[in-house]
Structure formats: C-alpha cells, structure tokens
Amino acid sequence: MNGSKKISTLNLILVIQLVVMIVLSAVITATISHTTKDNSIEHMLTITDERAKIIQSYVENAEKTLTYFSKAQQVRDILNDTDNPKYIENAQKYTEDYSAAIENVEGLWIGTWETKCIAHTNKESVGMVTRPKDTKAAALKQLQDALIAAGDGVYNTGIILSPATGRQIVSMYKGIFDNDGNPLGFVGLGIYTDQLVNSLNDLSTAGFEHSTYCMINVSDSKYIFNQDSSLINTVSTNQELTDLCSSLNGTEKAKDGHFIYKLKGKKYVAAYSYIPHYNWILMLEDKKTEVFSLTTLMRIYMIIFSVVILVLMILFYFINKKQEQVNKKLAASIVKNNKTKDSLYTAMFKNVLTDVNNRVSFSIDAEEMKPTADDPYYFSMFNISDFSGINSQYGNDMGDWLLVRTVDVLRQVFKGSKIYRTGSDEFVVAIQDSNITSEGVIELTTEALSRLTSRQTTPSGKLQFSYKAASAKKSSSINTAVITVLKDAVNRFNGHIDLIDITQ
C-alpha cells in the first residue's frame, strides 16, 4: 500500500510537471513567435528605409550637381548673349569639362527659354530644339511653367526612360532668370540610374536572400524599378499596391509599413518606404514563408522540445518501477535535460559570439524596465560603419574579432550596464543608475566612441575603424521603438553626440 501511494504521488507530480511544461512551452512559443514576427518586419522595414535613403541621396546629389553648374558665369553669359562666339565657345567647353567629372552622365546642357540647345555634353546635340512651338506647344508651356514654379530650385521630372538612349535616367531642369526675375533659359541634366541600381543590388538583405525590390511612382502607379524589366513604366496590377499609391499620393510626410498579398496561390510580405519629395514608393517583398521562417522554426523547435520532455517523463515513469539504481540514472538524465533546456534558452536570448543579450532579449527585458522621472533609463547605440565592407576586405574572422572587441570596450566603459546586440553591426547599452546624469551618459558614450575608433592592433595589423553613435533618455514605459529612434539618430550622426529625450 505504501508503495502504491508513493507511486501515485510521484505520478501526480509527473502529471503536474508535464502540464506545466506544456503550458510553459505554449506560452514561450507564442511569445517568441509574436516577437520574431515583429522583428522580421522591423528588419525588413529597416532594409527598405535604408535603400530609400540611398535613392533619395542619389537624386538629391544629382540636383546639387545641376545647381552648382547653373551658377557658373559661362552659363549666364551665353544666355544673355546667345550669338556671341566667345560666350558660345566658353559655355561649350565649360559644359564638356563639368560633365566629364560627373559619373554616369547621359547629358548636361544649356538651353534657351524656347528649349533650343546652345551647349551640350554631346556637341552634335547643339542647335536642336527639344520642344518646338509648332509641334509641342503644350509640352513647352508645361516645362516653362514648371521651371517658373520651381524658382531657384530644381524641377525634377523623376526617373524616366531617355528618349535619346532608351535607358533609364534621372532627368531634371533648372531655370535661369535675370535680376528682375525674367527667364533667360535653363540648364538640364540626365544621369543614368545604372550605378544606383547596381548599388541597390549589391546591398545585403540578410534573412531575405530571395527577396526582390521595386519602385513605383505613386502618382500613376507605374513601376520605376522592377526585377522584371518588362514591367518598367507599366501600371502595377497589384491591387494592394495601387490602393496604397492612391492613399499616399500627395502626402507630404515620409511613411513606411508593410502589407501581405497573394499571388498565384502564394503569400508574399511587402515592406515599403514612401519618399514624399519625389512621390515614390520603394518596396521590398519576399515570400511569407521566408520572412517568417524563424517563427516557424521556433515553433517546430519548441514542439520538438515538448515532445522530448514528454518522452523523458514517460520513460522516467516506467524506469521508476524498477530498481533504485535505474532511478538514479534517470535523475542524472533529468539533470542533463535541464542543462539542455538552459542551452536552448541561451540560444534564444544570447548572442553566442559576443556573449551579450540579443534583440529578442531586449524586447522581453523592456517590459521589466520601470523608469521614472527621477530614475530614468538611458540608452546608447553604437554602429560599426561599413561592417559588411570590413568582412569583405579582411574576412569574417576579422569581423568576429571586431564584434568581440566592441563588446569588451563597452563593458569597460559602461560598467554594470546591460549590453544588447540588436543587429549585425549594432549594439545598445541600457543604463539605469540614480547617480548618473545626462551629461555623464554623454561623457561615457563619447569615451566609448573614442576608444572604439582609436587605432588598434588587430589580427590583420594596425587598423582603425569607424563607428556611429547616439544616446537617448526614457522616463516612461519602454519598448523596442527605442531601437528605432536610436537607429534614426545614428543615421544622422555627424561626429557629435547629443542625448535625445524620447519620453512621451
């Protein structure tokens, strides 16, 4: 009887243990699934936003190039006296010399107000009239009105297919006016987009190896870029995308987001970034199964883990009926299993290489952070500039060395603070100390940045690496949006660290 009661009690404990483990596994699986889904979307949006900024920077640089060209005296001289041989010669030479220094230039030119070309990168184009009054009066009027409306700015017609070469270019014009504001003429510039496209194609899309990107003109829903070149300059047939274009058309604020759509029986996730200045949307898309592959893997992993626990418990039940010696061996097996469980948790929340917490851990820890106005949290982010370039030039072993060294320096400077690796090349330090001030955080961040950017003896010799940094203060509830704010501040890093108060 005593033996039976003992077994019944043990069985009850095992059943309770089993139920707890299953419930715990279910809760952990649901939590991690939700978190990894959000992280996957955030990562996708980060990649999309970065590419959108590259495109905007490329176009803005082209506008600056044209603006600088328009300020030259040779331009104003020829437009004031279009028949002066000396001015004609000077303007043509200046145009050729200036365009020679522009990468991927299709054409740089000076034209009269009636669009007659009087100086051009390609001499054979001089004398041509691009919009004759008798055949294209409306087009001429449209261009002239746009130049007047732009004033001292640049009239950017966007990314188009060149009528001359059939290749895609960034096309723009700038009006030239006399001191009374009367139009004298204009200058124009066409830049091939080949370098821009190649730069985008060369960018890493870690985690989305089979993703594709495209760019759409919001005003007419036509593709500007697309992996399928036959779709360029055609209207999108994706209903979700055309609806998005309709909702964003004319919006003056940048916006990003994502949506899921179905195509040929397969589901896709599309992350987009809206560039309001040019009314363009850049979109990165991939199969839903790949975007959320980590979520699926975690579910499978936890199911396997639960099955393993179940099998071990059943095995323990049968072995318990036997002798004490077998029972001791089973106890040892349980200890080993607990170690395995600890290893699994470590893999979930720690970065093995640098031995610091990862982004999943940050999102969970953030719920436990309870800052107040008197005891706020401070965060400092450090980003390794061109980390992919370092790996490419010196090898992945060198990249691993740099990651470990970065953590070592941060631990030395921010003693007792938690460090998270929130991206392949970025780290976040979370600081809560009632004795530290905003100035103190800035000093620590500056000191860490100084150490990180100092010349070091590395496995590849004496090298110096570049970092970006930013700091923020939060006196209210904390979530992963802190990382997004820090990333934005890091992207604007100009060598000086200011502390941002993001308390709402």
Side-chain angles (χ1 to χ4, degrees):
M1 291 295 290
N2 291 337
S4 299
K5 288 183 179 179
K6 184 177 180 181
I7 294 174
S8 298
T9 301
L10 181 59
N11 287 343
L12 179 60
I13 293 174
L14 288 174
V15 169
I16 294 173
Q17 223 176 6
L18 178 61
V19 171
V20 170
M21 290 305 300
I22 291 175
V23 171
L24 182 61
S25 298
V27 171
I28 292 174
T29 302
T31 301
I32 294 178
S33 295
H34 178 73
T35 302
T36 51
K37 271 188 177 182
D38 290 345
N39 288 344
S40 296
I41 292 298
E42 285 184 16
H43 181 40
M44 205 172 184
L45 287 171
T46 298
I47 293 174
T48 308
D49 289 340
E50 288 175 349
R51 292 189 175 204
K53 288 175 182 175
I54 289 173
I55 293 172
Q56 185 169 352
S57 177
Y58 188 86
V59 177
E60 287 176 349
N61 286 339
E63 291 181 352
K64 291 177 182 177
T65 298
L66 183 61
T67 299
Y68 296 149
F69 174 74
S70 70
K71 303 294 184 182
Q73 187 62 43
Q74 293 92 326
V75 175
R76 189 162 292 275
D77 285 344
I78 194 174
L79 289 175
N80 279 314
D81 190 353
T82 57
D83 297 323
N84 188 311
K86 179 181 177 181
Y87 292 164
I88 293 173
E89 180 183 355
N90 291 343
Q92 180 61 33
K93 184 177 186 307
Y94 177 68
T95 301
E96 292 177 4
D97 292 344
Y98 193 92
S99 61
I102 304 174
E103 292 185 6
N104 300 300
V105 64
E106 183 211 38
L108 175 68
W109 65 94
I110 306 170
T112 67
W113 192 243
E114 288 72 32
T115 72
K116 178 183 177 182
C117 179
I118 52 180
H120 199 287
T121 303
N122 306 309
K123 286 185 177 181
E124 58 270 20
S125 298
V126 175
M128 293 177 58
V129 179
T130 59
R131 293 172 176 80
K133 287 185 178 180
D134 54 343
T135 59
K136 299 181 181 178
L140 174 61
K141 181 67 165 54
Q142 181 184 16
L143 174 62
Q144 291 173 340
D145 290 345
L147 291 172
I148 292 173
D152 194 43
V154 173
Y155 167 48
N156 193 320
T157 62
I159 297 177
I160 63 171
L161 291 177
S162 170
T165 63
R167 293 168 61 185
Q168 209 171 46
I169 62 169
V170 181
S171 177
M172 58 193 68
Y173 305 91
K174 187 179 188 307
I176 308 297
F177 304 89
D178 63 19
N179 295 332
D180 296 324
N182 299 313
L184 297 174
F186 70 97
V187 292
L189 175 64
I191 298 287
Y192 291 121
T193 60
D194 297 7
Q195 182 183 10
L196 175 61
V197 173
N198 291 336
S199 297
L200 294 176
N201 290 335
D202 290 341
L203 289 176
S204 171
T205 52
F208 310 107
E209 283 74 15
H210 300 96
S211 62
T212 59
Y213 72 90
C214 60
M215 193 160 79
I216 305 94
N217 191 325
V218 169
S219 59
D220 55 15
S221 299
K222 289 184 177 180
Y223 287 107
I224 299 171
F225 296 148
N226 198 289
Q227 187 179 30
D228 183 355
S229 58
S230 65
L231 294 178
I232 294 176
N233 209 33
T234 65
V235 177
S236 171
T237 58
N238 185 321
Q239 187 59 50
E240 288 84 355
L241 181 55
T242 54
D243 290 344
L244 179 63
C245 289
S246 299
S247 65
L248 291 177
N249 190 18
T251 303
E252 296 181 356
K253 292 185 178 180
K255 182 178 181 181
D256 60 14
H258 76 283
F259 60 89
I260 299 175
Y261 69 94
K262 194 171 184 179
L263 179 64
K264 296 180 180 179
K266 295 181 179 179
K267 288 187 176 181
Y268 291 82
V269 179
Y272 66 87
S273 181
Y274 173 56
I275 308 174
H277 186 68
Y278 301 109
N279 221 24
W280 298 338
I281 289 178
L282 180 68
M283 189 170 76
L284 183 72
E285 55 188 351
D286 201 351
K287 291 181 181 177
K288 185 179 179 182
T289 52
E290 180 166 286
V291 174
F292 299 137
S293 59
L294 181 59
T295 301
T296 303
L297 181 62
M298 292 303 301
R299 287 176 178 173
I300 294 173
Y301 204 66
M302 293 305 298
I303 289 172
I304 294 174
F305 178 73
S306 299
V307 171
V308 170
I309 294 295
L310 177 61
V311 170
L312 289 174
M313 288 184 175
I314 293 175
L315 182 62
F316 180 76
Y317 168 76
F318 286 106
I319 293 177
N320 186 67
K321 289 183 177 182
K322 301 180 181 181
Q323 54 191 339
E324 184 69 19
Q325 183 179 1
V326 178
N327 192 39
K328 291 180 180 179
K329 291 182 179 179
L330 180 58
S333 176
I334 293 176
V335 171
K336 182 178 180 180
N337 180 64
N338 286 334
K339 290 181 178 179
T340 302
K341 182 174 67 176
D342 292 339
S343 298
L344 292 176
Y345 274 84
T346 299
M348 291 176 195
F349 301 107
K350 298 278 283 188
N351 179 256
V352 178
L353 175 65
T354 58
D355 193 32
V356 295
N357 296 327
N358 59 18
R359 185 164 184 150
V360 174
S361 179
F362 181 90
S363 64
I364 294 175
D365 288 352
E367 298 177 1
E368 303 299 324
M369 296 177 182
K370 305 297 181 184
T372 64
D374 295 329
D375 194 15
Y377 257 88
Y378 297 92
F379 299 91
S380 290
M381 174 177 281
F382 297 84
N383 178 272
I384 305 172
S385 299
D386 193 25
F387 184 64
S388 61
I390 294 171
N391 280 325
S392 298
Q393 184 173 358
Y394 301 104
N396 290 332
D397 289 343
M398 182 62 207
D400 291 346
W401 179 91
L402 183 57
L403 292 172
V404 172
R405 176 185 171 266
T406 300
V407 171
D408 288 342
V409 171
L410 295 182
R411 280 175 172 159
Q412 293 168 15
V413 176
F414 298 95
K415 293 181 175 63
S417 297
K418 280 196 174 182
I419 302 172
Y420 301 85
R421 185 181 178 188
T422 56
S424 63
D425 56 359
E426 67 183 22
F427 297 83
V428 172
V429 182
I431 311 154
Q432 188 181 42
D433 187 341
S434 57
N435 295 320
I436 199 167
T437 63
S438 299
E439 291 77 14
V441 172
I442 293 175
E443 289 178 4
L444 289 175
T445 305
T446 303
E447 180 185 352
L449 185 63
S450 176
R451 292 194 191 184
L452 291 171
T453 54
S454 64
R455 194 171 183 84
Q456 296 291 321
T457 300
T458 76
S460 298
K462 286 281 189 178
L463 295 174
Q464 188 171 14
F465 304 95
S466 178
Y467 286 72
K468 298 177 181 178
S471 295
K473 172 183 177 182
K474 195 81 161 64
S475 302
S476 58
S477 60
I478 296 171
N479 54 44
T480 53
V482 170
I483 295 177
T484 304
V485 173
L486 286 169
K487 279 187 176 184
D488 184 58
V490 163
N491 288 334
R492 300 193 307 270
F493 180 69
N494 61 1
H496 179 72
I497 297 173
D498 293 315
L499 188 136
I500 307 168
D501 191 338
I502 55 174
T503 302
Q504 294 182 347

